[in-house]
Amino acid sequence: MIQFFKLLFRNRLAGLGAVVLSVIVLLALFTPLLPLPNPNITATGDRFLPPFSEGHLLGTDHLGRDLLSRLMWGTRLSLAVGAAAALIAAFIGSTIGIVAGFLGGRTDNVIMRLVDMLMAFPYILLALAIVAALGPGLINALFAVAAVNIPFFARNIRGVTVGLANKEFVDAARLSGMSNLQIILFEILPNVLPVIVIAMSTTVGWMILETAGLSFLGLGSQPPQADLGSMLGEARAALITSPHTSIVPGIMIFLIVMSINLLGDGVRDAIDPRLKSGALSRPLPATIVERDSTPPVPSDDLLALQDLRTEFHVGDRTYKAVGGVSLKVNKGECLGIIGESGSGKSVTALSVMGLVASPPGKIVGGAVSFQGHDLVGASYDELRELRGDRVAYIFQDPLSTLHPLYKVGDQLIEAMQAHRKMPEKEARARAVELLESVRIPNAARRVDNYPHEMSGGMRQRVSIAMALANEPDVIIADEPTTALDVTVQAQILTLLDDLRRERDLAIVFITHDFGVVAQLCDRVAVMYAGRIVEEGPTAAILDDPQHPYTKRLMACVPELGGGKRELHAIPGLPPAVDRLPQGCAFAPRCNFAQDVCKQGDIELEANGDRAVRCLFPDKVSQTEVTS
Ligand SMILES: Nc1ncnc2c1ncn2[C@@H]1O[C@H](COP(=O)(O)OP(=O)(O)OP(=O)(O)O)[C@@H](O)[C@H]1O
């Protein structure tokens, strides 16, 4: 709750709305206790007294009634009616939406067509018709306003429910034997509740306005009872001669509706978990760079990361996702980056082309040199030209990287035309050629397939074809085979290996599978808590790991045909990168750790073509992993 209020008040306007609305609601609640004259007592001798008259702070109306008193009582009534109408509309509309969305099929069709019929009438006409049928009066106006708003809730909530009804957690609830009612109450409702609250908070202002509108037309509250709408209606005749009688209720309506709307926006932002974590905030086109030290001189390698540091700044926390990584890859080489989940592999890869979402991501130090040129300081235009052209990416899940509504051929053509002008016919021929080069059978026909018409392995081949579209120098593949079964995984790895040899490609391959590294990579870098802990030629590292983390990672991998061998999971969990321990980040999980490991920073010590960040590499090298 405290977190909710903190988030709410971070939005200044929402905070202002909350304060204004709270004051109005408090005044309305305590109106009976305030020393105000009776709002309905007329005094024809005191008609249209101006504001600040004696005994009448806001003046009087056309019957000499005290305006302040009528305003307070009227506000109380308008707020109560608006909130009640919103609750009724939200309850009935959401129930209809949840039932229709959850049951689907004919029930959904019948219910939603009835709702559509209700929506086909202009809402104010519908409200007028309902009040005309029921007779004028505030309660009837309340029902009319609630009724015309039911379709709004029904449609919104139905849409959300349809999306939830087919989710795995609902299937799981069904499999566990829960009834439809239980699923709706315990699985669906908690998920749609934030949407209902958000919809309510943004519509209650409207409902107050609509009720005021009906009262203004004489169909809501009846004389002498005051609500804000009827006060406006009565003041209409004296708009020119005594404008204060209209301005007073007008300002109150404005304040109520504005404060509710501002607060509603704030509530929406604070309630939505994706907005809370910044996931829906639109990232900048390139990662923010704020280097705190002079960048290193660019290297001559094709691609080199030099002491790269990338952080996420969320609230007052700093997540050191990449804490000084140096790596290089040259033409025709394949470099593997391996590590547990959360070790910083993806953020390292995304930092290369400035693709880390900013905010909250920031590159705070080091350099990424590509063909001798530092990309960390490069302009967005420069990065955009290189992205997908000289440096291409392949991601883990092709379903989320391929656009679901475009044919794969069109997406390949788009990838080429983003970088060079090419006639449509030539681009299409090249797209077919690309699909053939990634061994997609019947490429001329497949080019017109949509992603959902292809299997997972096929889609990943399309992603590889897309990465190859502009004949890049470097491909960064971020766990491209993790989502595939082993047979398809082997085919994709062979394909990547062949392509690398045929085209002299440099590949940076991110994985958490040592088997994949062994099959594909010339060199491997092992990452832990945002830093490289060991690096060197794959064969040498597989043969003789010198960092305890590498050794333990390898001990987790089952070996086919290797005889019976106990698999040893790594005890404990990786440290959170916003609270890294002093000294070696692996020390709390390490059998070899001594006090000295937990003190100062430990360097990545180079030894020939290998490097290791450990004080006791020889000891590690000579000891078997036992538990
Ligand atoms: N938007 C973010 N805000 C805060 N921290 C983040 C954000 N994105 C990533 N991180 C942190 O950065 C660290 C590195 O994440 P990264 O995705 O690079 O790990 P990874 O090794 O690629 O893991 P995986 O194998 O699961 O993809 C993690 O500890 C993660 O918590």
Side-chain angles (χ1 to χ4, degrees):
M1 204 60 189
I2 294 174
Q3 171 78 351
F4 170 79
F5 281 110
K6 263 194 191 162
L7 284 165
L8 184 66
F9 280 91
R10 202 186 286 168
N11 177 341
R12 297 248 165 91
L13 284 176
L16 180 70
V19 171
V20 172
L21 190 64
S22 308
V23 171
I24 295 175
V25 169
L26 279 177
L27 283 175
L29 282 177
F30 291 110
T31 298
L33 305 178
L34 298 177
L36 294 169
N38 186 325
N40 300 328
I41 288 189
T42 54
T44 36
D46 289 340
R47 295 174 70 223
F48 293 125
L49 286 184
F52 305 111
S53 304
E54 201 187 332
H56 303 287
L57 190 63
L58 295 180
T60 57
D61 69 1
H62 64 296
L63 295 177
R65 296 173 294 193
D66 182 61
L67 264 182
L68 177 61
S69 175
R70 285 185 75 71
L71 179 76
M72 294 320 302
W73 285 95
T75 302
R76 191 177 151 86
L77 202 59
S78 289
L79 278 177
V81 172
L87 277 175
I88 295 173
F91 179 75
I92 301 179
S94 305
T95 309
I96 293 174
I98 291 178
V99 170
F102 181 71
L103 296 180
R106 187 171 296 175
T107 317
D108 180 28
N109 229 333
V110 171
I111 294 180
M112 291 324 288
R113 291 310 69 81
L114 289 174
V115 169
D116 286 347
M117 279 165 61
L118 213 55
M119 287 188 94
F121 294 95
Y123 77 94
I124 195 75
L125 276 191
L126 187 62
L128 286 174
I130 295 172
V131 179
L134 298 177
L138 201 56
I139 296 294
N140 292 345
L142 184 159
F143 288 140
V145 169
V148 296
N149 280 287
I150 286 174
F152 169 77
F153 283 94
R155 292 202 72 94
N156 270 338
I157 302 304
R158 181 215 169 242
V160 180
T161 310
V162 166
L164 292 169
N166 298 320
K167 285 262 177 337
E168 286 79 359
F169 69 89
V170 174
D171 292 342
R174 223 174 250 131
L175 287 177
S176 74
M178 283 169 88
S179 67
N180 277 352
L181 184 64
Q182 284 173 318
I183 297 178
I184 286 180
L185 288 180
F186 303 120
E187 305 293 332
I188 303 282
L189 191 60
N191 281 289
V192 295
L193 211 51
V195 185
I196 298 175
V197 174
I198 290 163
M200 260 183 73
S201 65
T202 46
T203 50
V204 68
W206 269 112
M207 301 211 201
I208 291 175
L209 272 186
E210 285 162 7
T211 322
L214 288 177
S215 292
F216 178 82
L217 296 173
L219 298 168
S221 80
Q222 298 299 305
Q225 192 183 39
D227 83 342
L228 296 173
S230 66
M231 284 177 76
L232 266 183
E234 287 164 357
R236 193 173 27 168
L239 189 63
I240 306 294
T241 50
S242 299
H244 68 282
T245 49
S246 315
I247 289 173
V248 166
I251 288 182
M252 184 54 95
I253 291 179
F254 171 79
L255 285 178
I256 293 176
V257 176
M258 271 308 277
S259 60
I260 290 179
N261 285 349
L262 291 176
L263 180 63
D265 284 352
V267 169
R268 185 197 55 210
D269 293 0
I271 269 186
D272 193 320
R274 291 165 307 167
L275 283 166
K276 239 190 291 185
S277 63
L280 289 187
S281 60
R282 195 185 299 173
L284 296 170
T287 310
I288 296 173
V289 176
E290 272 174 20
R291 286 190 276 206
D292 52 15
S293 51
T294 324
V297 180
S299 118
D300 290 335
D301 297 295
L302 175 63
L303 176 71
L305 275 57
Q306 300 164 283
D307 198 22
L308 183 72
R309 285 182 293 128
T310 306
E311 295 177 350
F312 292 94
H313 295 244
V314 183
D316 50 7
R317 296 214 156 157
T318 301
Y319 296 82
K320 296 184 174 175
V322 181
V325 165
S326 299
L327 289 171
K328 59 179 185 174
V329 63
N330 279 303
K331 262 181 177 291
E333 235 181 22
C334 179
L335 168 75
I337 304 182
I338 190 164
E340 272 169 296
S341 190
S343 54
K345 308 180 296 288
S346 301
V347 178
T348 305
L350 292 173
S351 302
V352 170
M353 280 284 126
L355 289 169
V356 177
S358 271
K362 213 181 261 185
I363 296 180
V364 294
V368 172
S369 100
F370 176 69
Q371 295 176 330
H373 177 58
D374 181 15
L375 297 184
V376 171
S379 67
Y380 167 61
D381 286 337
E382 247 174 289
L383 285 175
R384 203 187 70 77
E385 266 178 34
L386 291 174
R387 287 178 186 171
D389 189 43
R390 298 298 83 223
V391 181
Y393 282 85
I394 308 170
F395 292 102
Q396 180 176 342
D397 178 12
L399 250 197
S400 59
T401 43
L402 293 175
H403 196 300
L405 301 182
Y406 291 113
K407 294 174 182 168
V408 295
D410 291 342
Q411 299 190 49
L412 285 168
I413 292 172
E414 189 186 25
M416 290 180 267
Q417 288 180 336
H419 291 284
R420 47 192 58 81
K421 281 204 172 73
M422 201 182 249
E424 203 63 26
K425 212 168 154 192
E426 190 186 321
R428 191 181 156 84
R430 170 101 179 104
V432 175
E433 211 177 280
L434 280 168
L435 290 184
E436 277 165 356
S437 72
V438 293
R439 327 257 196 279
I440 289 196
N442 210 347
R445 203 163 51 81
R446 286 292 196 171
V447 79
D448 287 322
N449 276 177
Y450 289 94
H452 68 268
E453 294 174 312
M454 299 180 134
S455 68
M458 287 277 186
R459 284 196 290 261
Q460 197 55 297
R461 282 165 198 264
V462 173
S463 303
I464 297 175
M466 200 174 283
L468 293 172
N470 295 305
E471 305 200 336
D473 299 307
V474 182
I475 287 189
I476 299 177
D478 190 350
E479 303 190 33
T481 56
T482 309
L484 308 172
D485 66 59
V486 275
T487 336
V488 183
Q489 178 172 329
Q491 291 168 2
I492 298 281
L493 290 179
T494 315
L495 172 66
L496 276 172
D497 202 34
D498 292 348
L499 289 171
R500 155 167 89 111
R501 287 172 210 289
E502 279 164 23
R503 298 170 188 231
D504 221 12
L505 266 174
I507 297 183
V508 178
F509 199 96
I510 295 170
T511 177
H512 40 236
D513 185 343
F514 256 115
V516 171
V517 169
Q519 187 178 342
L520 195 67
C521 304
D522 306 307
R523 294 179 66 78
V524 60
V526 185
M527 272 191 89
Y528 187 76
R531 304 180 96 181
I532 305 277
V533 293
E534 184 160 10
E535 205 239 313
T538 308
I541 291 202
L542 290 180
D543 217 32
D544 174 27
Q546 292 178 350
H547 193 283
Y549 178 59
T550 319
K551 198 148 188 155
R552 284 221 165 249
L553 263 190
M554 284 167 57
C556 300
V557 183
E559 250 176 83
L560 268 185
K564 272 196 183 166
R565 180 167 71 85
E566 213 178 313
L567 295 179
H568 301 285
I570 310 180
L573 291 169
V577 286
D578 58 329
R579 285 184 304 260
L580 286 172
Q582 260 225 325
C584 173
F586 189 63
R589 304 169 78 186
C590 177
N591 291 351
F592 302 91
Q594 301 191 8
D595 285 348
V596 59
C597 302
K598 298 175 187 165
Q599 284 156 11
D601 198 26
I602 296 163
E603 289 294 314
L604 185 67
E605 203 74 53
N607 182 5
D609 55 0
R610 297 186 61 168
V612 61
R613 196 187 290 277
C614 180
L615 297 178
F616 308 106
D618 297 334
K619 212 162 146 192
V620 176
S621 167
Q622 287 152 18
T623 317
E624 279 293 307
V625 173
T626 50
S627 63

